[in-house]
Amino acid sequence: MHSSHLLLEEPIRMASILEPSKASFFPAMTKIVGTLGPKSRSVEVISGCLSAGMSVARFDFSWGDPEYHQETLENLKAAVKSTKKLCAVMLDTVGAELQVVNKSEKAISLKADDSVVLTPDQGQEASSELLPINFDGLSKAVKKGDTIFLGQYLFTGSETTSVWLEVAELKGDDVVCVVKNSATLAGSLFTLHASQVPIDLPTLSDKDKEVISTWGLKNKIDFLSLSYTRHAEDVRQAREFVSKLGDLYQTQIFAKIENIEGLTHFDEILQEADGIILSRGNLGIDLPPEKVFLFQKAALYKCNMAGKPAVVTRVVDSMTDNLRPTRAEATDVANAVLDGSDAILLGAETLRGLYPIETISTVGKICAEAEKVFNQDLYFKKTAKYVGEPMTHLESIASSAVRAAIKVKASVIICFTSSGRAARLIAKYRPTMPVLSVVVPRLKTNQLKWSFSGAFEARQSLIVRGLFPMLADPRHPAESTNATNESVLKVALEHGKASGVVKSHDRVVVCQKVGDASVVKIIELED
């Protein structure tokens, strides 16, 4: 029987499994977001991560102070210079996160069937009998029999370092729980997740606002990852907040879906946000295990149809301390790609893992193999059908460019864009070849000084599957004559040749504006 969605022709594919994977300039079309931390903040390691395929660096403010993150960011800038690989910056907020306050940072052992008290009194010392937490409304939010999950930040779900608690009784503001499995909590920060319990804490805390308006503004962050997004209103409020902060009006807001509330309001959140992060760590605790895959498939499909980037987290936990992922994890990464994910986000694996560079490289190789069997034809038809007719002008140009590129077996699509929108639309149709988005800067003024737009737009395409940006020379303005476009095209083709994406006699599809018209043309390269 012919399978409708996987291009696996038996005799050919079986042989090709044994062929070694070919190296190419772009490790994979799927992007990799790496979280920088203790094990991945030296210039040397970050350079290795960039060369292995990381295109977005995530700075997680759940731990570490702004000075610490600033040092890491300076190292990232040095690494970008030395490797000549662009990298975008993502700031991850703390949001409505429940934390255990363990001031002494001593390891805490909990034994199965013992009881432990969760108290809002943060003056108390954390011990195996008493755990102070940063939220005073827990006793009002939970009821007897509820499940609370407690683990080191970025818990891997390993049952020796994280613990399940069951609420036994409520005493005033305290919550008395029974420990369900023995575990030792080590490290400075443990987070609490009360399964399917709405927590009345703001999505953007005061601490988050302070970090965004100081560290975020100073460093012109490309992405704001909004933890614990529960309603579309959360995204609107965050956008209103950042839009008043200088250059940050250009920052894209990615909603992080990590609990039942976010899942319930997914459609409205998707409309408001610039992209979605499926935080499977917490979702996996809020949802029954058998439902996690369903949510992933449904959410990725919706993001794909909306043409908004979707990022999947928690894929190779075991690589935090192993050189190879488990078979299940390797399959999971490939399935995320086949489901339509734009990027894979690595947390603990790069933050405190022993093999950050190897992890990025391994994930990149798995993604590249999955992309080879991604059924573009079926995906294209689904997307075009979803968009319906009549299509908008831009949409029809973008889909035609992809269709043409596939028909003539083009090696690359080159798209001239100043806002980045045209390039993102082309990427939405998931072409099988890379899309070089040539971002043509626009000159703008705020009456005090002149500046060029373009850097934000170029870096923000680093999270979209298949999009590879390059900044054009600002001396060639976007809306100018055909002749300057030709010279920019020449530069783009040189870049393509140098990176090994284009060689002589290749066909290239170019998508550009000439005057008021959008043009798709096919060119064949000479020697």
Side-chain angles (χ1 to χ4, degrees), residues 4 13 37-38 40 50 106 160 177 205 232 245 265 275 291 302 327 355 448 462-463 505:
S4 64
R13 291 303 309 172
S40 53
L50 290 170
K106 286 204 289 275
T160 52
C177 301
S205 65
L245 300 171
H265 305 116
K291 297 287 188 190
K302 287 179 171 186
R327 272 72 63 198
Y355 309 105
L448 294 172
L462 289 167
I463 204 163
H505 303 297

Side-chain angles (χ1 to χ4, degrees), residues 393-394 396-398 422 510-521:
H393 182 82
L394 252 180
S396 77
I397 294 286
V510 181
C511 191
Q512 69 187 100
K513 263 196 135 137
V514 178
D516 286 340
S518 300
V519 178
V520 173
K521 59 182 182 185

Side-chain angles (χ1 to χ4, degrees), residues 145-157:
D146 275 352
T147 303
I148 295 176
F149 187 83
L150 178 62
Q152 182 175 11
Y153 178 56
L154 291 173
F155 29 73
T156 58

Side-chain angles (χ1 to χ4, degrees), residues 118-316:
L118 304 177
T119 177
D121 180 0
Q122 296 185 29
Q124 302 267 14
E125 185 75 27
S127 69
S128 32
E129 287 83 47
L130 187 80
L131 297 172
I133 59 171
N134 66 343
F135 175 52
D136 51 17
L138 190 65
S139 62
K140 294 180 189 67
V142 296
K143 59 185 186 305
K144 193 177 168 181
D146 275 352
T147 303
I148 295 176
F149 187 83
L150 178 62
Q152 182 175 11
Y153 178 56
L154 291 173
F155 29 73
T156 58
S158 147
E159 296 304 311
T160 52
T161 56
S162 54
V163 70
W164 295 92
L165 307 174
E166 188 179 304
V167 177
E169 63 172 315
L170 308 169
K171 282 187 176 168
D173 286 343
D174 293 354
V175 178
V176 184
C177 301
V178 177
V179 181
K180 302 302 276 181
N181 64 291
S182 301
T184 300
L185 303 174
S188 57
L189 178 68
F190 320 122
T191 56
L192 228 81
H193 192 95
S195 187
Q196 303 202 17
V197 174
I199 295 299
D200 190 20
L201 280 173
T203 303
L204 262 190
S205 65
D206 293 342
K207 184 188 160 195
D208 289 331
K209 287 181 176 168
E210 188 190 334
V211 165
I212 295 166
S213 53
T214 52
W215 193 90
L217 178 61
K218 173 183 168 189
N219 297 305
K220 298 186 177 175
I221 53 167
D222 302 297
F223 302 109
L224 178 68
S225 155
L226 197 58
S227 296
Y228 296 95
T229 305
R230 294 163 286 189
H231 305 273
E233 189 51 39
D234 296 343
V235 184
R236 281 193 284 271
Q237 284 171 359
R239 199 178 300 284
E240 196 184 332
F241 178 72
V242 297
S243 65
K244 298 189 178 109
L245 300 171
D247 278 331
L248 294 196
Y249 72 91
Q250 302 175 77
T251 298
Q252 288 192 349
I253 296 177
F254 274 52
K256 214 164 152 198
I257 307 292
E258 30 197 338
N259 55 23
I260 292 280
E261 270 185 285
L263 190 152
T264 320
H265 305 116
F266 186 82
D267 292 357
E268 304 94 89
I269 292 171
L270 177 59
Q271 270 186 323
E272 285 294 326
D274 296 303
I276 295 282
I277 297 173
L278 304 182
S279 179
R280 299 191 309 174
N282 285 339
L283 263 177
I285 296 162
D286 240 19
L287 287 173
E290 67 274 19
K291 297 287 188 190
V292 177
F293 86 97
L294 268 177
F295 172 68
Q296 174 175 319
K297 286 183 185 293
L300 288 177
Y301 174 75
K302 287 179 171 186
C303 292
N304 291 166
M305 294 305 123
K308 292 188 176 182
V311 183
V312 170
T313 70
R314 304 303 300 271
V315 288
V316 285

Side-chain angles (χ1 to χ4, degrees), residues 354-496:
L354 305 179
Y355 309 105
I357 299 168
E358 292 83 350
T359 303
I360 290 169
S361 164
T362 303
V363 169
K365 283 179 190 156
I366 300 169
C367 291
E369 286 296 322
E371 287 154 11
K372 288 181 196 165
V373 297
F374 181 78
N375 190 336
Q376 201 284 332
D377 195 44
L378 185 80
Y379 180 88
F380 188 96
K381 286 179 184 144
K382 265 197 320 201
T383 312
K385 188 177 166 191
Y386 180 87
V387 170
E389 288 172 2
M391 276 185 174
T392 61
H393 182 82
L394 252 180
E395 190 98 40
S396 77
I397 294 286
S399 56
S400 306
V402 174
R403 182 51 93 199
I406 287 167
K407 291 276 191 245
V408 301
K409 294 197 163 37
S411 52
V412 66
I413 298 174
I414 295 178
C415 173
F416 290 89
T417 176
S418 50
S419 67
R421 204 170 138 234
R424 280 201 303 273
L425 265 182
I426 290 175
K428 169 181 162 181
Y429 285 90
R430 294 276 188 266
T432 47
M433 64 292 295
V435 181
L436 280 188
S437 100
V438 182
V439 181
V440 187
R442 279 194 174 141
L443 194 56
K444 54 182 192 181
T445 175
N446 59 1
Q447 268 92 48
L448 294 172
K449 62 179 202 297
W450 289 93
S451 65
F452 283 107
S453 72
F456 264 102
E457 290 80 355
R459 289 192 305 266
Q460 283 168 345
S461 56
L462 289 167
I463 204 163
V464 181
R465 177 147 141 196
L467 259 197
F468 298 92
M470 58 174 280
L471 265 173
D473 187 324
R475 285 167 300 198
H476 302 311
E479 285 86 9
S480 61
T481 61
N482 206 10
T484 51
N485 263 337
E486 288 308 312
S487 60
V488 180
L489 177 59
K490 210 170 150 195
V491 175
L493 288 170
E494 291 305 320
H495 176 73

